[in-house]
Amino acid sequence: MHSRRALLYVPGDDRNKIEKALTFGVDSICLDMEDGVALNRKEAARINIPKALRELNFGAAEKLARINAVGSGLEEADLTAALPARPDGIVIPKVEALDQVRWAAEIIEAAELSNGWPVNSIRILIGVETARGILNLKEIASHPRLDGIIFGAEDYAASIGAVRSRNGWEVLYARSAIVTACAAYELQAIDMVSIDFKDVVNLKIEAAQGAAMGFSGKQVIHPAQVGPVQEAFTPSDEAIAHAQRVVETFQASQREGKGAYALDGKMIDRPLLKQAEKVLARARAAGKV
Ligand code: COA
Ligand code: MG
């Protein structure tokens, strides 16, 4: 699965911003046709995105295209505009039911077959950002073409009538629900956007909180957010060293016939081993070990 510590949105109708995005060293670039694009610019985005995908070198960055919501009336033209240029994945926003994912997956598979591309090579990520989407996560998250679920805090707050706060307690339940569904189906969980893109201090706090909650990455909208977010979702050298020690000492203690033992004054048993293994898996995904 592609690493998506930071997933950067770029308005799909803005060629200059797309060219700029290629210089940020970001894991994943999402060319947007949805809410980052004005209604009277949707057609421009549909022309510009496939052109950019064909003409520009994205290097190691993943190439995603975000269509408008299934049911908006815009989705089919968006999807059929993006697919011929072979993006790595399609992002479907505001998903509320499994059928919406199935609809897109059928069109994507038909494009793969007619172009001779491997079936399932174009991945789907979904935005879950409404009350219905959260309630239906159990079904939605089971679709085999999914790589990850993206949480949209602003849409979710609008959906439930909440007022956004700095500590984000009003979206805690939805964030935890998404992390849980993603863990159950082995998907990536991509946390909310910090819309106050000038406030890097708050961004770092929020990104660290998301990483600690179990998210694997975070959406970003501005170049200043890329570095701090990629760092927050990369295990630190200390965390990696500790995880390696846990793995080593756990095996030794098992050989001695002890299920639980003490390391630096704290108890270690099998759940702690699993946590350590997750840290090492994330470090490997970030190319660190
Ligand atoms: N992708 C690529 N380049 C971007 C960028 C992005 N998401 N956001 C900003 N930049 C570029 C700007 O074009 C500017 O380039 P320049 O120096 O060559 O002019 C530079 O980075 C600095 O940007 P800045 O002037 O600080 O911000 P801005 O006022 O131009 O833009 C936003 C602010 C919010 C409009 C812009 O960041 C943006 O469009 N973000 C994406 C929004 C989006 O897609 N939302 C939908 C998903 S939630
Ligand atoms: Mg949204």
Side-chain angles (χ1 to χ4, degrees), residues 245-264:
R245 264 184 84 213
V246 170
V247 171
E248 285 158 17
T249 53
F250 186 88
Q251 282 153 359
S253 97
Q254 287 283 310
R255 280 193 297 273
E256 287 167 21
K258 286 188 217 142
Y261 63 100
L263 181 67
D264 302 337

Side-chain angles (χ1 to χ4, degrees), residues 26-46:
V26 66
D27 288 349
S28 184
I29 297 177
C30 182
L31 307 180
D32 191 23
M33 289 176 265
E34 202 218 5
D35 290 345
V37 175
L39 259 186
N40 63 5
R41 295 286 295 167
K42 300 288 187 194
E43 194 47 40
R46 287 181 193 133

Side-chain angles (χ1 to χ4, degrees), residues 205-267:
I205 295 169
E206 203 182 276
Q209 183 193 50
M213 284 179 73
F215 282 96
S216 55
K218 185 173 176 71
Q219 303 162 83
V220 299
I221 51 158
H222 190 273
Q225 296 184 320
V226 173
V229 166
Q230 298 209 151
E231 196 185 321
F233 288 92
T234 306
S236 67
D237 293 342
E238 302 78 66
I240 293 169
H242 179 72
Q244 283 166 335
R245 264 184 84 213
V246 170
V247 171
E248 285 158 17
T249 53
F250 186 88
Q251 282 153 359
S253 97
Q254 287 283 310
R255 280 193 297 273
E256 287 167 21
K258 286 188 217 142
Y261 63 100
L263 181 67
D264 302 337
K266 290 193 185 125
M267 186 205 67

